[in-house]
Amino acid sequence: MPNPVLIAPSLLAADHGNFSAGISVIEAAGLNWVHLDIMDGHFVPNISFGPQVLSDLRPRTKLFFDTHLMLLHPDRYIEAFARAGAQRITVHVEADHDVARTLAKIRELGCAAGIALNPDADPSAVIPHLHSVDLVLCMTVFPGFGGQSFIPSVLETIRKIDQERTARKLTYRIEVDGGINAETSKLCRTAGADTLVAGTSFFKSADPSAAVRALIG
Ligand code: DX5
Ligand code: ZN
């Protein structure tokens, strides 16, 4: 496995009335990434938050802004998120845009590029883009809400994306997102994932540091 395992807590599961507090919990747990779930109510049946949350949080933390755009037209918003302080911008292969052009634009803006696929997607949909991303996000729930149950069939997708990574001698991260806890984290890591988004299992835990140990145990 080319990448050290890391955890990216999702602010979607934190207190939306005080995102700074959520950032502090992540920092206190000794983690370096925050996962920012951006939802437009069109690509997914929920609305979360926009670029101003990132620009307001940016000067208050050194955490890496791992930004997951669950937007129908992500290409229209990548500049705003890049300017707001996003450091990786991940877009869905299923959204309504020219995927290759969007990924190129993300990189031109100085951000790392990620590509995401939903649990029912055919992994072949992302194959043409693997050379131009440094992260592949395999959704382990259908996006829109935290606290859902893990979909085990995605493990086969993770294995396929990992096989492609090895075969092509690429080093992109494989991120999983949704229903990740101590048990499902182990399944995903065995299948080849190295980057774990944790919303509920981190923020709803009485002891987030213990939750981190359980996730990478
Ligand atoms: C779902 C989001 C996930 C979610 C995390 O659309 O993309 O990141 O917030 O899910 P849980 O709470 O299951 O870890
Ligand atoms: Zn996410």
Side-chain angles (χ1 to χ4, degrees), residues 105-120:
K105 180 116 189 259
I106 291 170
R107 292 197 310 276
E108 282 160 26
L109 288 163
C111 294
I115 191 158
L117 62 166
N118 282 339
D120 57 352

Side-chain angles (χ1 to χ4, degrees), residues 10 35-39 68 70 137 139 143 175 177-178 197:
S10 167
H35 185 78
L36 299 156
D37 281 312
I38 311 301
M39 302 178 180
H68 176 194
M70 289 163 272
L137 168 50
M139 289 303 297
E175 187 174 51
D177 183 358
V197 175

